[in-house]
Amino acid sequence: MPLVAGVDSSTQSCKVVIRDAESGKLVREGRAPHPVGTAVPPAAWEAALSDAVAQAGGLDDVAAASVAGQQQGMVCLDAEGAVVRDAVLWNDTRSAGAAADLISDLGGGEAGQRAWAEAVGLVPVASFTVTKLRWLASAEPDNAARTAAVCLPHDWLTWRLAGAPGLDALRTDRSEASGTGYWSAATGDYRLDLLRLAFGRDDVLLPQVLGPTGRAGHLRTGAPLGPGAGDCAAAALGVGAESGDVIVSIGTSGIVSTVSDVPAADPSGIVAGFADTTGRFLPLVCTLNAARVLDAAATMLRVDHAELSALALSAPPGADGLVLVPYLEGERTPNRPHATGAVHGLTLRTSTPAHLARAAVEGMLCALADGLDAMIAQGTTVDRIILVGGGARSEAVRRIAPTVFGRPVLVPPLGEYVADGAARQAAWVLSGGQQPPSWTVGRVEMYEADAVPTVRERYAAARANAPDRAD
């Protein structure tokens, strides 16, 4: 049976899975860490990919491969294909001022937000590539002048796997293009006027946007490379999401997304109008603070994640009024790039490790529940909530989620669903079929519990009072 490879080049690490193209059975896998920080040399991703591929037994015997990766960000290349500067990642907030300026450029306030939403399905925040280009043009004009091409992390890695044959060979897919801020998922076109507005010029080369089974090049063995995907879209493909499925992914970022037949254009900017990997759309809400909220709580309490989970489950729902607003790295949703975290309701009674652990889990989930509410307000139908990502490994997260979301939560077997989605796309490219292959994800567990409305109510009262950094 032919084998396919799927790559997940995420913020924190690179994962590679090798699967049977027909059954989806996992044959082997590998992983390697990425450097920390919000600006990273792309060469570090390539080195991690090489290490992960070696752990996975190499790619010489695969019939097709595809790369998924962290979305947005900014990789600038010069005319010779060399990297101009460290890639600025999605979670870097230095372009927050540029985002505000771009909204002002199209009218400011609600009018400016609506103009952006209608143009590209997004309202600029620091995450999107368009804001990073505005920042680059202003803060580093020499680097901006050297830039001949702009791409995203998965685009660059795919290009490198294909042998970096020239800038005109850069390829991307709809899901990645839809997160730039200068490509419209609704029309399928680049908005060069918005690129020029942000960067001062529109003569930079942009990757060609491929359809679901387009070929982005070939490995040195001749095996085709799929178009790839942003991590959120790849995860949706990996779990086999359909219309009515809402995916809540708890990784470095928190993601609430759903597969839709129509594009989204939310003038508030809360719901981003992304595209998916199948030719449809992927309305999405992203928070900057997710699994690392659990990491921070575990560090503060000097426990591991299993102990943190046990502590959280030992405290009562609502943590007796203790509320953690988890804006530990600023926040994207709501758009508060300079905010900090805050704790409310601290009393002698709630000054225990168990209460803080519970408040950390509930605060992280409340932020995601706010995103779910925004999607419902935009017309999303919620038939199922599917919980994935590293944070879903926590028993406390799985059991507390229904009390916050107010709905049952389905948890598929723990796995690398972004890499799996990339592998499934590779199998689709290989088959040339009309639909991706049907792979089962294994036994799905359902978690049910009564909703506890006071948790959301207390969080709503506290979140507006989260302070901003003094600097």
Side-chain angles (χ1 to χ4, degrees):
M1 299 297 178
L3 301 179
V4 291
V7 176
D8 171 17
S9 182
S10 72
T11 310
Q12 294 179 304
S13 63
C14 180
K15 285 83 70 175
V16 174
V17 299
I18 310 294
R19 290 188 173 274
D20 181 284
E22 295 182 5
S23 68
K25 179 182 178 181
L26 180 65
V27 176
R28 55 187 194 265
E29 59 186 325
R31 67 183 298 142
H34 282 160
V36 298
T38 61
V40 172
W45 302 329
E46 190 171 25
L49 175 59
S50 179
D51 289 346
V53 165
Q55 285 187 30
L59 301 179
D60 287 351
D61 59 346
V62 304
S66 189
V67 180
Q70 53 180 300
Q71 284 194 258
Q72 298 136 39
M74 178 184 71
V75 181
C76 295
L77 305 177
D78 68 14
E80 304 302 318
V83 174
V84 171
R85 69 167 332 277
D86 286 353
V88 182
L89 306 189
W90 63 274
N91 55 351
D92 190 295
T93 59
R94 74 185 75 184
S95 61
D101 291 343
L102 287 169
I103 294 171
S104 295
D105 288 345
L106 292 191
E110 293 182 3
Q113 292 182 185
R114 183 172 298 279
W116 276 98
E118 291 175 352
V120 289
L122 310 173
V123 175
V125 294
S127 302
F128 300 138
T129 316
V130 69
T131 71
K132 300 179 190 304
L133 287 172
R134 166 62 74 90
W135 169 84
L136 185 71
S138 174
E140 299 180 1
D142 290 345
N143 283 335
R146 285 182 57 207
T147 298
V150 179
C151 60
L152 280 73
H154 115 254
D155 310 339
W156 185 82
L157 274 175
T158 301
W159 182 68
R160 296 293 295 176
L161 277 175
L167 294 181
D168 59 356
L170 285 166
R171 300 290 185 267
T172 192
D173 83 303
R174 295 172 66 254
S175 69
E176 283 281 54
S178 65
T180 61
Y182 44 82
W183 186 86
S184 168
T187 67
D189 297 317
Y190 278 117
R191 289 292 302 265
L192 297 182
D193 57 325
L194 298 180
L195 176 65
R196 184 169 57 252
L197 178 70
F199 200 45
R201 42 189 270 248
D202 61 10
D203 60 342
V204 292
L205 189 146
L206 302 173
Q208 179 183 337
V209 182
L210 299 177
T213 58
R215 299 193 175 197
H218 295 83
L219 297 172
R220 61 176 180 81
T221 61
L225 283 162
D231 50 3
C232 304
L237 186 62
V239 299
E242 300 291 345
S243 296
D245 289 345
V246 172
I247 305 160
V248 177
S249 176
I250 302 175
T252 303
S253 59
I255 303 291
V256 183
S257 62
T258 189
V259 175
S260 173
D261 293 325
V262 296
D266 177 11
S268 76
I270 296 175
V271 179
F274 290 172
D276 80 341
T277 60
T278 69
R280 292 180 290 179
F281 304 94
L282 195 78
L284 180 150
V285 176
C286 177
T287 66
L288 287 183
N289 301 277
R292 285 190 286 188
V293 176
L294 306 181
D295 295 341
T299 298
M300 285 190 292
L301 296 175
R302 298 182 180 181
V303 299
D304 62 21
H305 280 275
E307 293 173 295
L308 181 75
S309 180
L311 283 169
L313 291 172
S314 72
D320 289 322
L322 189 69
V323 177
L324 173 68
V325 181
Y327 299 166
L328 306 185
E329 294 188 303
E331 189 46 76
R332 164 176 162 171
T333 307
N335 185 23
R336 300 218 22 215
H338 305 298
T340 64
V343 176
H344 297 262
L346 189 64
T347 66
L348 289 176
R349 182 182 183 187
T350 60
S351 301
T352 73
H355 284 84
L356 180 60
R358 182 90 188 198
V361 174
E362 290 180 340
M364 179 193 69
L365 290 170
C366 281
L368 292 167
D370 286 349
L372 178 61
D373 288 348
M375 292 185 65
I376 291 171
Q378 288 292 309
T380 293
T381 299
V382 183
D383 294 331
R384 304 189 301 175
I385 293 179
I386 303 172
L387 189 65
V388 298
R393 298 177 185 273
S394 165
E395 182 182 359
V397 169
R398 297 194 300 266
R399 296 193 178 280
I400 294 172
T403 72
V404 174
F405 294 139
R407 292 174 172 83
V409 170
L410 302 179
V411 183
L414 297 176
E416 300 293 350
Y417 286 106
V418 175
D420 291 345
R424 192 176 179 207
Q425 183 190 71
W428 192 8
V429 170
L430 188 64
S431 72
Q434 295 298 310
Q435 297 293 330
S438 297
W439 292 353
T440 59
V441 298
R443 182 173 177 269
V444 176
E445 296 183 352
M446 178 179 287
Y447 290 82
E448 297 181 275
D450 291 337
V452 184
T454 54
V455 172
R456 296 283 311 278
E457 292 166 4
R458 288 169 178 158
Y459 179 83
R463 69 188 170 203
N465 297 318
D468 287 336
R469 289 193 293 268
D471 58 356

